[in-house]
Amino acid sequence: MKLDGLDYRILDQLQANGRLTNVELSDKVNLSPSPCLRRVKQLEEEGIILGYRASLNRVALDLGMTVFVDLRLGHHGDQASSQFEASVLAMPNVISCYLVSGTADYRLEVVVKDLQHYELLLRQIQMLPFVKDIHSNFVIRAVKGESPLPLNTPT
């Protein structure tokens, strides 16, 4: 699917507020409601819009500590990676996991209540298959997070 300027305007609006009604969205992008809804449905069907979700306050939910955990595996074969990744996927406090280049093999983003809860989670991480080295980086303060994607609208 080739996106045009109208698709990008729709995406910008939905990134800013995923709860817009179709009528509100169509007003904001200067399109009548029926064609607007067709475009949104097509963006969903094409996998450009992956879903809609609420942004939650971590502190209010007793998940005020964020830790970025850099990991190195002892082995780099397919079996080691697959087992490690399957284990991480089953850990709810790991909210993101990236295969990275550099000194680490993986970077995890972890949320926990406090240092004591992180220690418990760290013990679980240490027991994951093939984990060799772990480096924890504690977030002092979020400067920027959960930002919308920078959509370069074609001219």
Side-chain angles (χ1 to χ4, degrees):
M1 172 180 186
K2 182 157 174 44
L3 301 180
D4 63 17
L6 191 51
D7 293 319
Y8 281 102
R9 289 199 312 270
I10 289 170
L11 293 171
D12 275 334
Q13 291 299 319
L14 288 175
Q15 281 194 111
N17 182 358
R19 294 188 61 171
L20 287 173
T21 67
N22 183 57
V23 171
E24 292 169 330
L25 178 61
S26 65
D27 284 344
K28 289 183 178 288
V29 298
N30 297 317
L31 185 65
S32 59
S34 291
C36 183
L37 183 59
R38 278 195 299 274
R39 282 181 179 254
V40 170
K41 293 292 183 200
Q42 185 176 14
L43 292 166
E44 292 169 347
E45 289 167 4
E46 293 288 330
I48 294 165
I49 295 175
L50 298 176
Y52 303 88
R53 65 182 190 149
S55 181
L56 305 177
N57 181 328
R58 295 176 184 190
V59 174
L61 295 168
D62 263 350
L63 296 169
M65 178 175 276
T66 302
V67 185
F68 287 98
V69 182
D70 291 343
L71 298 160
R72 285 183 42 208
L73 301 184
H75 302 283
H76 293 92
D78 288 342
Q79 180 185 7
S81 295
S82 295
Q83 285 183 14
F84 171 78
E85 290 173 10
S87 298
V88 167
L89 289 171
M91 301 177 82
N93 288 79
V94 177
I95 62 170
S96 63
C97 175
Y98 301 96
L99 177 65
V100 296
S101 64
T103 58
D105 296 320
Y106 289 90
R107 173 165 282 182
L108 311 179
E109 182 179 2
V110 170
V111 292
V112 291
K113 179 179 181 176
D114 53 27
L115 194 55
Q116 291 76 24
H117 286 87
Y118 179 65
E119 182 181 5
L120 296 172
L121 184 64
L122 181 60
R123 289 179 189 192
Q124 292 176 29
I125 293 171
Q126 290 170 329
M127 300 304 293
L128 293 179
F130 306 104
V131 170
K132 179 181 175 183
D133 292 318
I134 301 173
H135 296 278
S136 303
N137 300 285
F138 295 87
V139 172
I140 305 301
R141 175 173 54 92
V143 176
K144 182 177 182 178
E146 298 187 34
S147 299
L149 294 176
L151 301 178
N152 295 323
T153 307
T155 55

